Amino acid sequence: MPLRARLAAGLAAMLLAGPAAAAPDPALLGDRQAFIADLLGQMTLDEKIGQLRLISIGPDMSRERIANEIAAGRIGGTFNSVVPADNRAMQNAAVQRSRLKIPIFFAYDVVHGHRTIFPIGPGQASSWNMQAIERGARVAAIEASADSLDMTFAPMVDIARDPRWGRTSEGFGEDPYLVSRIARAMVRGYQGDATSRRDSIMASVKHFALYGAVEGGRDYNVVDMSPMRMYQDYLPPYRAAIDAGAGGVMVALNSINGVPASADTWLLQDLLRRDWRFGGVAVSDHGAIKELIRHGVARDDREAAKLAIRAGVEMSMADELYLNELPGLVKSGEVPIADIDRAVRNILGAKYDMGLFHDPYLRIGRAADDPPDLYAESRLHRADARALARESLVLLENRNRTLPLRKNAILALVGPLADSPVDIMGSWSAAGRGTNPVTLRQGMEAAMRGQGRLLYARGANVTDDPALVEYLNQLNWDTKEIVQDPRPPAEMIAEAVAAARRADVVVAAVGESRGMSHESSSRTTLDIPASQRALLAALKATGKPLVLVLMNGRPLDLREASATADALLETWFSGTEGGNAIADVLFGDYNPSGKLPISFPRSIGQIPTYYNHPRVGRPFTEGKPGNYTSQYFEEKTGPLYPFGYGLSYTSFSLGDLALSSPVMARGGRIGARITVKNTGDRAGATVVQLYVRDESASVVRAVKELKNFQKISLEPGEERIVHFDIVEDDLKFFNARLEHVAEPGAFEVQIGLNSQDVERARFELH
Ligand code: BGC
């Protein structure tokens, strides 16, 4: 429920507010196209160019100057301001003082929650629960709109197959099908039934396109990719978000095959507008237009602005190139006015769709209704956050049934992430406040209250590397990123070891600080930092059962950890309710059901490791000599933990896979069915995954591709027949001419509870 009443008669207020020399014609409001055409017809060139400017609200411009710029019609929208009173003042300037009274919009990076923080992308993806993910985005929209926001720069659906890339933490993993499903769920969640609803925010899918494929996983690096791979693996999630109705697209910072996305006419016109029929607004990334100079494709500001607007970048984020250069470029004829008009039309269209012409104060509300406590809403959504967080946890190892733990035991909780509320939120935690999250320590204490004992010792800092600490503290946070415990490492370890000796079981929360998995935080190793590894070695030496609770934004190299630990729980960064959710799993109040949305390589040298890689002529075959096969001879082939993998406190078995027919006709369908049984002694949920392998085609195809999945819950001993329909579309791929086709021939259906251990059956497409 909304906390504030809303201003109903916004337009009336807007029209009463000042001398209406010219203004949107309310009589036309019912007709989007006519309304926008009428407004466009009244605009001067400068007013049009003003609409293309998206400014960041920060210390670089005073409030007064911003209000004056808005009143002068020189700003179309803002981001980074989340306080209704501040946004109201800016909207007042737009609708009371500007000549045309065009409302501005307010955007923000609401990526995995707004005030209530949900798990980061890979965590949400690990749930494979589309309803819960959609609900998370819905909650984010409710909270963000209550804070006067109209738009989010999300979902971030860049396919990530190189975990060195810090922004792996923002996306949903390596698989085009899973990420596409999530893209749709997120857009539905943010936008609700309509973007014009008061509690909806417009989704701007990012980063278009292929940002996750930066060479070497180094942020902002180039992307060089074959068109087939692009179409088959990397583009589908953006397309899915657009087909689900995303009102915006954010253009990526990287170049693609030699052309920066921000200057790429093929990408932004041919693909996005012509082929995909995108009718929304395309915004640049932060400062990206000016960066065309550093990419080396523009001589100066003027040429950069020209390239970007001609390509189809409609709003310039946080630079003034459009404002300064476009007037001259239009006057000289270098940029046709039609380009400007097209951009303005789409921006006004987005504002129309956000409901701002009907009521510029739709999400801002009245001053009298401003919430006394901006965080009040976040307390309403704790249950949603905890539910999704529990499902986001992936049990990687559980030797000797170390987990679940008994609440009446003596437990030692150690590690730099065990009691770190800021880190547990993860990067891009929007308006989440660092004091709100439940840490693991708090979650375990609450769960054990009145029963056993929890002994806590920090044991180590996240890192002792001063250069890394300095780097992390320079990241753009409102709080200091890393707070170092000044004690010598040996003293901290000794304290942790003493606690471990007194305990029945040791729980160590280790991994990365949130800033280590962030924009610009690319890594050359995937190690748990040395300070924490030293702690783990000392804990291991006590001989006590050791449970590792991993907090990290990307797959880590877990060879050592997995050999050391008795149980290993991947928790990503699990958000505001993270500590409770992890405690739920540690104590068995929730049986873990998460499945990895991204492969965990054995070592950094194996990257890229992704399950759906193209076939090769000399594949490595398990159990046979590796010579002259595709492998690294120093290391076991294949990931340490594969895509789709995750354990449970119960066990499941799969029966034989049966197909309804050995043949599929063109345009037809066949059914696949398999029996799944809970063979253990606890109720539990698992994800039944359907993969298809194209046995032979005109081009090299992936070894297998995920095509469907179902998450099911079973009581102990219960079995269920799971059905999937397979249709011709599931067999289609992009051929060498980039046509989306299914070719006749043999296909293998694989069903498993992870991508590697599968039941198989074959059929032919005729
Ligand atoms: C990021 C975007 C983000 C933008 C605005 C950029 O640095 O690449 O993902 O939306 O900043 O905060």
Side-chain angles (χ1 to χ4, degrees), residues 577-597:
E577 279 290 315
N580 284 332
I582 300 169
D584 287 340
V585 164
L586 291 179
F587 293 114
D589 294 327
Y590 180 79
N591 186 355
S593 61
K595 302 278 190 177
L596 295 178

Side-chain angles (χ1 to χ4, degrees), residues 699-716:
V699 297
V700 174
R701 302 280 291 112
V703 292
K704 65 179 75 180
E705 289 172 322
L706 182 71
K707 293 294 175 186
N708 209 340
F709 58 84
Q710 287 178 39
K711 187 164 188 176
I712 59 167
S713 299
L714 295 174
E715 294 299 319

Side-chain angles (χ1 to χ4, degrees), residues 672-727:
R673 46 178 270 167
I674 196 161
T675 304
V676 187
K677 182 168 184 187
N678 181 343
T679 51
D681 50 13
R682 276 174 181 263
T686 189
V687 181
V688 188
Q689 303 158 36
L690 176 110
Y691 298 88
V692 172
R693 172 182 169 96
D694 190 345
E695 291 294 1
S696 106
S698 57
V699 297
V700 174
R701 302 280 291 112
V703 292
K704 65 179 75 180
E705 289 172 322
L706 182 71
K707 293 294 175 186
N708 209 340
F709 58 84
Q710 287 178 39
K711 187 164 188 176
I712 59 167
S713 299
L714 295 174
E715 294 299 319
E718 185 187 349
E719 61 179 39
R720 186 166 323 152
I721 299 174
V722 175
H723 295 266
F724 291 102
D725 264 354
I726 304 171
V727 296

Side-chain angles (χ1 to χ4, degrees), residues 79 109 153 167 170 206-207 211 250 253 285-286 317 428 519:
F79 66 109
D109 291 284
F153 303 129
R167 303 194 84 169
E170 285 174 62
K206 68 189 185 185
H207 303 83
Y211 184 25
M250 181 185 286
L253 293 164
D285 201 343
H286 202 282
M317 178 191 280
W428 294 105
E519 179 178 350

Side-chain angles (χ1 to χ4, degrees), residues 17 36 38 58 97-98 115 157 253 261 309 314 335 352 367-368 411 429 442 525 562 577 581 596 651 674 689 717 737:
I36 291 169
D38 176 65
R97 290 169 55 199
S98 77
R115 296 211 179 261
V157 299
L253 293 164
I309 190 76
E314 295 169 336
V335 169
Y352 185 98
L411 301 176
S429 50
Q442 292 163 343
T525 80
S562 114
E577 279 290 315
L596 295 178
S651 51
I674 196 161
Q689 303 158 36
R737 292 157 66 181

Side-chain angles (χ1 to χ4, degrees), residues 75-87:
I75 290 173
T78 79
F79 66 109
N80 284 344
S81 170
V82 298
V83 178
D86 296 348
N87 291 348

Side-chain angles (χ1 to χ4, degrees), residues 611-632:
Y611 84 93
N612 45 352
H613 57 85
R615 287 164 65 172
V616 298
R618 295 184 176 190
F620 174 79
T621 332
E622 198 68 54
K624 300 210 177 126
N627 294 356
Y628 301 101
T629 65
S630 188
Q631 55 144 2
Y632 298 103

